[in-house]
Amino acid sequence: MKAPRNKRLMNQKNPRRNRQTFGGFFLLILVGVFLLFVFRFSYIVISGQVNNENLSQKASALYQNSTVLRAKRGTIYDASGTAIAEDSTTYSLYAILDKNHVGTNGKKLYVTDKAKTARVLSHYLPLSRQNILKRLNPKNPNTFQVEFGAAGKGLSLSIKQAIDKANLKGIYFNETPARLYPNGIFASHQVGLAQLQNHDEKTSAEAQNLTGIMGLEKTFNSSLRGVNGSKKIKKDSYGYQLPNTKAKEKAAKNGNNLYLTLDTRLQTYLETLMSNAQTKYQPKQLNAVLMNPKTGQILAASQRPTFNPQTGSGLGNFWRDTLVADAYEPGSVMKVFTLAAAIDAGKYQPNTTYASGQIRVGGTTIHDWNKTGWGTIPFSEAFARSSNVGFVHIQQLMGQAKWLHYIKKFKFMQKTNSMLPGEVSGSLQYQHASDQAITAFGQGINVNTMQMMQGFSAIANNGKEMKPQIVAKMTDPNTGKTTNYQPRSVGKPISQDTAEQVRQAMEDVVYKKYGTGRVYAIPGYKIAAKTGTAEISHANGGGYLAGRNNYIFSVVGMAPADDPKYVLYITMKQPQNMTKEASVILSEIFNPLMKRALDYEQSNATTTTQAQMPNVTGKTVSDATAALKQKQLTPIQIGTGNTVVQQMPVKNEVVLDHQRVLLLTNGGMTMPDVTGWSKSDILKLAELTGKNITTKGTGYATKQSLPAKSLLNSAKSITVTLSKPK
């Protein structure tokens, strides 16, 4: 049966209507998308941003290159102007292998001759030609670049320049700032350490700066580090500067230079004496400080354990500067201040006698170190014999309030603010009568070494107490401005007459037959001294340690006794190999160092003058030699060429008469005759040449494994033997 005609017509119209409806809906969607696109485009055009990123800056970055101009970290000098910490640069080598890496003119910027590259690099890196070739032919053919591990890092400027001269395509360098400590172990915890800190991935190598993490490098970090500059250029898509464009440059501001009070001659000798004692007697800690009491200036300071900031050896073992960061009970050297307080307060009765051996105070029995004592003796002998009982009596005659008053007058329990970071204030246990009594002989009171040095200055300087000073001045190389740190008196706790009487008592320690410090006598000089043996508290606070070596042994000496130019204070904690009496061990440091200082003081005839290092880089060897000799300097040629390509010290650095100047020339690097050189000069040679040069022994160079005038590249490592002069 057929459907009616009007129903068939209706069915024929429905598909047409459906198509019209769908078409209209689709058109509406297209219009909406178009309007959305127009709106989005308009927003981008007006705001100039996409996803919170500035498009103009993005576009500018594509055609603009910004380079960081790294500021030079300031140099730290000793008292004579010799650099003991200075800025340096090392280089890391890498090779581009991607053959798509080409310049605008089609210049190949990748390694094209791998055999030649391997051959040349093997002369300068501690890697064989085969090893380098293997790295230049990685398993992955799509490798963009390769590095050379530790062998390709830490390269010196001279090595970089030598490789650059070979014109090896595809070989590039990253520059890394470094710090040079040419003296090795040299007041390491006090001078401190500057290292590269961890940076995020966005920080380029050239923007990385050294940061002081210890000692004066840390205290003066903001002054030493300087401010980086920048250089901006417009570039093409290959990174080259666009023609007819100018670079915008903001100069770097170099860091300030720091001049210390340390005397290199005395400091180096102290380090040698300390190392010898550390090796032989193995104390858990060993400290020594030499000071000029007239000014408070620290001439030499050292501690053990220590570390070598140049090599990093020992760095992980001990970070504290024990001269300021450790508080300890000083023991009998404290009697210097007890005696001074009693004399100054008018409470000292030298001719009055007392029964030595022991005394009972507040329920506690206090003994002399010689527990049987010396019978009934006058107070005038108590100091030289180091009688604890005698000094308890002296403290009781003063009274607890008066003794506390003098403890505060000598500035104990206050930081010295000597610019060394991490200083502790110390503490005092003074509640009970027994507490007060034992402070008279240096127990129950905790001090740091610099507080003791500050107090000793008042005894040596006729009552005038001087703040310990290790920084002499700071100079700004950008402006020429100099900031001087003048000696500073922090008070006058005692009179001149009191100070003189105390020094006389200290002479008795050395020269009376019953004195405890007779071993510290130095022929030709009058010495005033005081010895100390302090008990060490249990870590849990329960009393003191027992055992022959469980003490802090110490000595303080002043010389010449009538008008001291030097104060030397040494402490030694728990020697593990105590083969000699503590006083004998300490005398092996005290006597030779004090004698050398006094000898220097006496022989002022040999004066040394300073000058600025001239710029001889680029000059012929003959012209450079003539210019240096005119300045009373000693040129050392390193190389077979006739033109100086690098010098050390650098231009404008402060130099001394007859100082060695290393001249690196073009041509092959040659080994100089280093006989008589100091360790500092040898380290500078290693830095300049980039060669692995190690030293063995102490003193001055007597032997070298590579003969003079030999090519340096003929040996992968060089050993120089040092010996003490006879």
Side-chain angles (χ1 to χ4, degrees), residues 120 157 191 254 268 310 460-461 531 536 586 618 647 664 677 716:
V120 172
L157 175 60
V191 173
N254 291 332
T268 302
Q310 185 61 32
N461 196 31
T531 59
I536 301 172
L586 294 178
Q647 66 184 72
L664 186 67
W677 288 28
K716 295 206 170 178

Side-chain angles (χ1 to χ4, degrees), residues 277-309:
Q278 176 73 12
T279 300
K280 285 197 284 187
Y281 307 112
Q282 300 167 24
K284 288 191 175 180
Q285 287 185 30
L286 184 64
N287 290 346
V289 182
L290 179 69
M291 182 177 73
N292 177 347
K294 308 292 185 187
T295 62
Q297 292 184 340
I298 304 300
L299 306 176
S302 186
Q303 70 178 62
R304 295 294 182 276
T306 189
F307 68 98
N308 186 327

Side-chain angles (χ1 to χ4, degrees), residues 687-700:
E687 188 212 357
L688 183 69
T689 61
K691 301 304 293 183
N692 181 20
I693 304 177
T694 57
T695 59
K696 186 171 64 174
T698 58
Y700 297 89

Side-chain angles (χ1 to χ4, degrees), residues 41-100:
F41 182 76
S42 300
Y43 171 79
I44 291 172
V45 171
I46 294 170
S47 68
Q49 290 188 345
V50 174
N51 297 329
N52 295 322
E53 292 194 26
N54 191 299
L55 293 178
S56 61
Q57 290 179 357
K58 281 278 189 180
S60 177
L62 289 173
Y63 299 102
Q64 183 169 287
N65 181 58
S66 181
T67 304
V68 173
L69 302 178
R70 193 172 64 83
K72 179 183 177 184
R73 187 175 178 85
T75 301
I76 300 178
Y77 298 96
D78 75 344
S80 68
T82 300
I84 55 180
E86 55 189 319
D87 214 27
S88 182
T89 301
T90 60
Y91 299 88
S92 298
L93 180 72
Y94 67 96
I96 300 293
L97 303 179
D98 187 358
K99 294 183 178 180
N100 295 318

Side-chain angles (χ1 to χ4, degrees), residues 637-682:
Q637 182 176 344
I638 303 167
T640 58
N642 57 7
T643 302
V644 177
V645 296
Q646 195 176 350
Q647 66 184 72
M648 185 176 287
V650 297
K651 67 175 181 178
N652 297 331
E653 190 171 313
V654 176
V655 289
L656 307 177
D657 279 353
H658 309 295
Q659 183 173 330
R660 291 185 182 88
V661 178
L662 307 184
L663 303 177
L664 186 67
T665 72
N666 56 342
M669 291 188 295
T670 52
M671 180 70 183
D673 182 355
V674 299
T675 302
W677 288 28
S678 67
K679 184 176 181 180
S680 172
D681 283 338
I682 292 165

Side-chain angles (χ1 to χ4, degrees), residues 364-402:
T364 301
T365 300
I366 296 171
H367 295 272
D368 278 322
W369 62 268
N370 173 12
K371 292 191 176 182
T372 59
W374 304 273
T376 299
I377 58 174
F379 283 118
S380 61
E381 293 185 15
F383 188 81
R385 294 184 187 273
S386 200
S387 169
N388 294 341
V389 173
F391 272 80
V392 170
H393 283 298
I394 291 171
Q395 183 270 329
Q396 290 175 335
L397 287 171
M398 270 195 292
Q400 62 90 14
K402 181 63 70 175

Side-chain angles (χ1 to χ4, degrees), residues 2 38 56 151 161 203 230 276 305 311 419 440 506 510 520 594 697:
K2 294 183 179 179
V38 170
S56 61
Q161 290 174 334
T203 305
S230 62
N276 291 343
T311 64
M419 298 182 180
M506 292 174 73
V510 181
Y520 299 108
M594 182 65 90

